[in-house]
C-alpha cells in the first residue's frame, strides 16, 4: 500500500462540529452514517464501487500530529479541551462496505459507518473524496469497456488528469472498471498491474524521415514493435513504412505487434490499414486507436465497421468529462439513545433527497437458474433475507408494482471492514478486484447496462424499512 496521513484533509466544519459535540458532552454518542450516490441521468444508472483500499488506508492512519494541532490552535477558534482530545484521537468504530468492483445503484449504501459521532463526522469529507472519485472513474471505464465489445481497452489519461492523485488512482479505478492496462508507470508499480504504450509523434519527428524513425524503434524494441503511423500521411507513408519495417523484423525472426492511429477518420483509416496489413502478410498485426475517445465514439466506430483491436482512452475517461462528479453523499441514518439506535431521516422538498432511515443492510437477489441479478433490497439490519423463502418485493415509488421471488439466491453486499477500530477485511489484489468486477457486471442483463436509456433495475425497500420511512415522514408533518 501507498500509506500517508490524510487526517487534515477535511472540511473545517467537520472540526467545528466535533468541537461542538465535545463541548456539549456528546463525544461518546454513537451514530450511523451511510455513504451513497444519487442518480444523475443515464450515465449513472449504475456505478462500479471503487476506492475502498484507499479509504482503509485513510482510516488506519487517522491521527493528529503535533504540527496539526499547533496549526489548529493558531486559528484561535477551537477549545483547548478539543485540541487535547485530538492528540489521542483514533478511529474506534465499525465500517461495513460493498467490496470494490461491486455494481451499485442510486441510494444504495456503498459504505456504512457506526462510531462515536465525533469520529463518524470526521470521516465524511475524506471518504467522499476517495470513494466518489474512484467510483466515478471505474464506472466510466466500465462503460467504455462495454462499448468496445471485448476489444482491449488501455487507460491513457495521466497527462490530462486533474493532478497526480487523480492520475494514479484514476488509473487504478479504470483497471477495476475493466481496462487491461495503463500507461501510468507509477500506478503499475504501486498496484502490480500491466502497463502499456508505444511512442509519440515527437519520436518520428526526431529522425530524418518516418522510415528511419520506425527502423530505430524496431531496433530497440523488436519484440514489442507497435508503430504510430499518422505523423505525416497515414495511408500514403505511415502504414507502408510500417509494413517495410515489419518485413525487416520478420526476416530477423520477430513478429510485429501492430500500428497505432491517433487522428483522422478512424473508421476509414483502420479499414484501409487492415486491408494493407493483411495484403502484406500481417493479419495478426493489431490496430490500436487513440485520440479523444469515449464510449459513444467507440460505439459509433464499431457500428461503422472500424477495424480496431485496441482502444487507448485518455482524457474523457480519466476526467469522466461528460459527468465529472459522482454526487455521492454521506448522511446520518441513526443515533444511539439508551443503548438502541433511533432512526433519523433527512426531509427535503426534493423527493430524491429524502434519505432512508435506520441501520441498514443491502441485499442482492439472483436467479438460481441463470445466475443473473433480479433485484436489490435495502433492508433494516435486523432483517434477514437469505433463507430462500418466497419474498414479495415492491417498487417504493410505485407500490402497486410487485413481484414474488421464489427460485433465488441472496447475498448481503455490505461486509465488515473495521470492527472496534481494527481492520478485519483482507484487502484483495487489484487484479482480483478487476476479475470480481467483470463477473459482477456480467451478472446483470444487458438492458440494465445500456449506454443510453437503460432499463431501470429494481432497487426496493423492505416492507419494514418502507413503513419506518413513511411513519417518520408522517410524524414530521
Amino acid at each position: 500500500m501507498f500509506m500517508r496521513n490524510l487526517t487534515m484533509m477535511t472540511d473545517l466544519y467537520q472540526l467545528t462540529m466535533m468541537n461542538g459535540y465535545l463541548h456539549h458532552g456528546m463525544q461518546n454518542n454513537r451514530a450511523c452514517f451511510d455513504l451513497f450516490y444519487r442518480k444523475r441521468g443515464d450515465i449513472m444508472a449504475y456505478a462500479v464501487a471503487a476506492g475502498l483500499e484507499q479509504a482503509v488506508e485513510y482510516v488506519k492512519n487517522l491521527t493528529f500530529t503535533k504540527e496539526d494541532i499547533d496549526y489548529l490552535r493558531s486559528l484561535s477558534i477551537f477549545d483547548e479541551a478539543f485540541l487535547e482530545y485530538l492528540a489521542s484521537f483514533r478511529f474506534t468504530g465499525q465500517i461495513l462496505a460493498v467490496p470494490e468492483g461491486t455494481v451499485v445503484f442510486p441510494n444504495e449504501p456503498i459504505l456504512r459507518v457506526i462510531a462515536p459521532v465525533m469520529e463518524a463526522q470526521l470521516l465524511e469529507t475524506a471518504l467522499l473524496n476517495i470513494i466518489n472519485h474512484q467510483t466515478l472513474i471505474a464506472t466510466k471505464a466500465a462503460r467504455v469497456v462495454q462499448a468496445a465489445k471485448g476489444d482491449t481497452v488501455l487507460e491513457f489519461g495521466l497527462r490530462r488528469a486533474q493532478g497526480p492523485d487523480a492520475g494514479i488512482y484514476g488509473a487504478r479505478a479504470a483497471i477495476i472498471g475493466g481496462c487491461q492496462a495503463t500507461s501510468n508507470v507509477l500506478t503499475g508499480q504501486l498496484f502490480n498491474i500491466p502497463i502499456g504504450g508505444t511512442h509519440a509523434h515527437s519520436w518520428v519527428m526526431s529522425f530524418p524521415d518516418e522510415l528511419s524513425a520506425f527502423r530505430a524503434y524496431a531496433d530497440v524494441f523488436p519484440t514489442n514493435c507497435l508503430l504510430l503511423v499518422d505523423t505525416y500521411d497515414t495511408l500514403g507513408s505511415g502504414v507502408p513504412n510500417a509494413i517495410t519495417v515489419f518485413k525487416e523484423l520478420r526476416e530477423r525472426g520477430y513478429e510485429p505487434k501492430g500500428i497505432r492511429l491517433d487522428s483522422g477518420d478512424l473508421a476509414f483509416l483502420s479499414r484501409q490499414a487492415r486491408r494493407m496489413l493483411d495484403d502484406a502478410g500481417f493479419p495478426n498485426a493489431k490496430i490500436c486507436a487513440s485520440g479523444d475517445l469515449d464510449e459513444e465514439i467507440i460505439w459509433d466506430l464499431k457500428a461503422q465497421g472500424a477495424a480496431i483491436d485496441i482502444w487507448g482512452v485518455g482524457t474523457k475517461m480519466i476526467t469522466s468529462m461528460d459527468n465529472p462528479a459522482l454526487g455521492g453523499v454521506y448522511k446520518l441514518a441513526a443515533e444511539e439513545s439508551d443503548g438502541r439506535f433511533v432512526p433519523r431521516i433527512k426531509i427535503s422538498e426534493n423527493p430524491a433527497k429524502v434519505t432512508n432511515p435506520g441501520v441498514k443492510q443491502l441485499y442482492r437477489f439472483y436467479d438460481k437458474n441463470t445466475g443473473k441479478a433480479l433485484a436489490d433490497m435495502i433492508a433494516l439490519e435486523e432483517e434477514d433475507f437469505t433463507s430462500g423463502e418466497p419474498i414479495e418485493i415492491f417498487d417504493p415509488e410505485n407500490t402497486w408494482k410487485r413481484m414474488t421471488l421464489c427460485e433465488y439466491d441472496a447475498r448481503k453486499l455490505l461486509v465488515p471492514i473495521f470492527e472496534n477500530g481494527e481492520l478485519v477485511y483482507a484487502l484483495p489484489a487489484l487484479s482480483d478486484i478487476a476479475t470480481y468486477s467483470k463477473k459482477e457486471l456480467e451478472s446483470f442483463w444487458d438492458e440494465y447496462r445500456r449506454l443510453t436509456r437503460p432499463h431501470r433495475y429494481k432497487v426496493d425497500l423492505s416492507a419494514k424499512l418502507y413503513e419506518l420511512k413513511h411513519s417518520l415522514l408522517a410524524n414530521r408533518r
Side-chain angles (χ1 to χ4, degrees), residues 75-126:
L75 301 178
S76 301
I77 58 176
F78 296 108
D79 296 345
E80 193 61 33
F82 174 62
L83 298 175
E84 291 177 5
Y85 165 84
L86 294 184
S88 58
F89 180 90
R90 62 180 291 270
F91 181 72
T92 64
Q94 176 197 68
I95 296 177
L96 277 74
V98 301
E100 286 193 272
T102 301
V103 174
V104 291
F105 296 89
N107 301 313
E108 294 186 338
I110 300 173
L111 182 145
R112 187 185 88 191
V113 176
I114 295 180
V117 65
M118 291 177 68
E119 298 175 22
Q121 192 70 65
L122 179 62
L123 299 187
E124 176 180 5
T125 299

Side-chain angles (χ1 to χ4, degrees), residues 40-90:
R40 299 176 65 182
D42 291 350
I43 293 174
M44 297 309 300
Y46 73 89
V48 178
L52 179 60
E53 181 175 314
Q54 284 64 52
V56 166
E57 294 169 9
Y58 159 72
V59 173
K60 286 181 65 177
N61 285 281
L62 272 175
T63 178
F64 289 88
T65 67
K66 180 180 182 301
E67 291 74 19
D68 296 337
I69 295 171
D70 287 345
Y71 168 72
L72 294 176
R73 182 178 286 112
S74 74
L75 301 178
S76 301
I77 58 176
F78 296 108
D79 296 345
E80 193 61 33
F82 174 62
L83 298 175
E84 291 177 5
Y85 165 84
L86 294 184
S88 58
F89 180 90
R90 62 180 291 270

Side-chain angles (χ1 to χ4, degrees), residues 288-358:
C288 175
S290 55
D292 287 330
L293 300 172
D294 64 9
E295 67 268 39
E296 293 184 4
I297 295 171
I298 292 173
W299 186 272
D300 286 345
L301 288 170
K302 297 283 287 186
Q304 294 164 36
I308 295 169
D309 308 293
I310 303 169
W311 306 86
V313 186
T315 305
K316 293 183 178 181
M317 183 161 65
I318 201 67
T319 65
S320 189
M321 185 176 287
D322 53 353
N323 185 58
L326 178 69
V329 295
Y330 184 86
K331 297 298 181 184
L332 179 67
E335 289 182 300
E336 192 175 45
S337 177
D338 296 327
R340 58 182 290 269
F341 276 101
V342 178
R344 295 286 183 255
I345 188 170
K346 176 188 179 297
I347 297 177
S348 170
E349 291 186 3
N350 180 352
K353 291 192 173 184
V354 176
T355 60
N356 292 317

